[in-house]
Amino acid sequence: DFTIGGGIYVRGVTVVNQSTFSDNSASFGGAIGNDDHTLTINHSTFTGNTAQYSGAIRISSGVSTVSASVFSA
């Protein structure tokens, strides 16, 4: 387990396109954690990601955009 972002911990400007995040886990943001950076997610799928807090994505600050993406348990 990671503390923040089981798949990606965002640092700087990050763009995620047509990606799949499955079965990741962390304390905060099972798949992705973003603390005060820029994150854009397009046409991606999030399945079975777990976190003690924040579910699939943790966004505590910064600029984040999610479009045409699917989230499921």
Side-chain angles (χ1 to χ4, degrees), residues 5-64:
I8 295 174
Y9 180 55
V10 175
R11 304 295 295 170
V13 176
T14 302
V15 178
V16 176
N17 288 312
Q18 299 178 347
S19 297
T20 300
F21 294 85
S22 297
D23 302 319
N24 294 287
S25 64
S27 296
F28 297 89
I32 298 176
N34 183 18
D35 291 332
D36 199 30
H37 297 281
T38 301
L39 169 65
T40 302
I41 300 171
N42 300 305
H43 302 280
S44 294
T45 302
F46 295 81
T47 304
N49 297 286
T50 59
Q52 185 175 359
Y53 307 100
S54 308
I57 301 174
R58 176 186 193 241
I59 301 166
S60 66
S61 59
V63 177
S64 296

